[in-house]
């Protein structure tokens, strides 16, 4: 009976090895790819904004949330030396900065003010956490927890940012202000990181991503219930860019 038992044990070990490979490496690896696609999904619209010099119905607030979200998770990933978390968020930070700056110049004064306030709020939060960790926390586990709670808070803000227009969607019965590629990517990305967080026993990764996947499903439902209506063209001269056409900064 010993040879048969050995074969069964080997099969169990192979199964465990495959599950570990799937959950601890393949899932977060795919999560990095999906995260990049999620962060790059508004780029086409942002480039159209740059060409048309007008935001239209595009909501720029999620772009600010991308910067804050990626910065928070880069802090958490660096403290815990998690290469998957770092690789998933570094491209998002760079894209977030580019897209936010691109849209800011063509937003109306109210949207500019809202973007600036959000950016300043997240900057104060993240810089304060970094200062506290650097100067007052010596224990790595406590530093990881503080960074984790901060990243979770910002992640939930990022996932819920498109829902800031939910009242407008219900009022106009149009989901033009919701961006469906982001909603789909949020759902898939959230599920992949839930699998990884569960496998490595990291609630900071698993729990908020489960909530984020649920947010994505809600957004998809709204998009299907209230299809986007094509907005009328903006009146000429309604919004002035920060820099006149042809001008440059020395």
């Amino acid at each position: 009976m010993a040879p048969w038992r050995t074969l069964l044990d080997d099969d169990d070990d192979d199964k465990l090895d495959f599950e570990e490979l799937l959950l601890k490496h393949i899932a977060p690896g795919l999560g990095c790819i999906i995260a990049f696609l999620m962060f790059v999904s508004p780029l086409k619209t942002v480039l159209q904004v740059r060409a048309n010099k007008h935001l239209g119905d595009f909501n720029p607030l999620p772009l600010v949330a991308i910067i804050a979200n990626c910065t928070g998770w880069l802090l958490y990933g660096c403290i815990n030396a998690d290469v998957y978390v770092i690789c998933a968020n570094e491209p998002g930070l760079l894209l977030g900065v580019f897209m936010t700056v691109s849209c800011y110049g063509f937003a109306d004064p109210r949207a500019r003010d809202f973007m600036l306030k959000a950016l300043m709020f997240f900057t104060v939060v993240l810089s304060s956490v970094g200062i506290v960790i650097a100067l007052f926390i010596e224990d790595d586990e406590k530093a990881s927890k503080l960074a984790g709670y901060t990243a979770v808070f910002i992640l939930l803000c990022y996932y819920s940012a498109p829902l800031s227009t939910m009242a407008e969607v219900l009022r106009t019965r149009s989901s033009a202000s919701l961006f469906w590629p982001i909603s789909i990517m949020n759902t898939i990305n959230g599920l992949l990181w839930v699998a990884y967080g569960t496998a490595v026993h990291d609630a900071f990764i698993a729990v908020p991503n489960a909530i984020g996947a649920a947010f994505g499903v809600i957004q998809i439902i709204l998009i299907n219930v209230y299809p986007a209506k094509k907005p009328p063209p903006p009146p000429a001269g309604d919004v002035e860019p920060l820099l006149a056409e042809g001008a440059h900064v020395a």
Side-chain angles (χ1 to χ4, degrees), residues 108-214:
D108 58 69
R110 182 182 178 184
R112 290 176 188 170
D113 186 56
F114 199 30
M115 292 172 70
L116 183 58
K117 288 180 179 179
L119 188 58
M120 290 302 299
F121 169 75
F122 287 127
T123 300
V124 170
V125 171
L126 288 165
S127 61
S128 299
V129 170
I131 291 171
V132 169
I133 291 176
L135 300 182
F136 302 107
I137 298 180
E138 296 182 357
D139 184 75
D140 290 341
E141 184 177 353
K142 291 181 179 179
S144 176
K145 285 184 177 181
L146 178 57
Y149 284 124
T150 304
V152 166
F153 166 71
I154 297 176
L155 179 63
L156 295 180
C157 292
Y158 167 70
Y159 273 135
S160 63
L163 291 180
S164 64
T165 58
M166 185 171 61
E168 183 69 12
V169 171
L170 295 174
R171 184 182 69 81
T172 62
R173 297 183 178 276
S174 170
S175 61
S177 55
L178 289 176
F179 199 59
W180 66 265
I182 290 182
S183 301
I184 293 176
M185 293 298 178
N186 276 345
T187 304
I188 299 174
N189 183 65
L191 292 176
L192 287 171
W193 288 106
V194 167
Y196 174 63
T198 302
V200 298
H201 308 290
D202 192 330
F204 288 120
I205 294 177
V207 175
N209 278 287
I211 297 174

Side-chain angles (χ1 to χ4, degrees), residues 66-98:
I66 286 176
I67 297 175
N69 173 67
C70 292
T71 304
W73 283 108
L74 280 172
L75 175 64
Y76 182 76
C78 289
I79 290 176
N80 291 280
D82 192 319
V83 65
Y84 292 115
V85 173
I86 294 172
C87 290
N89 289 280
E90 177 64 20
L93 175 60
L94 300 177
L95 285 166
V97 171
F98 170 77

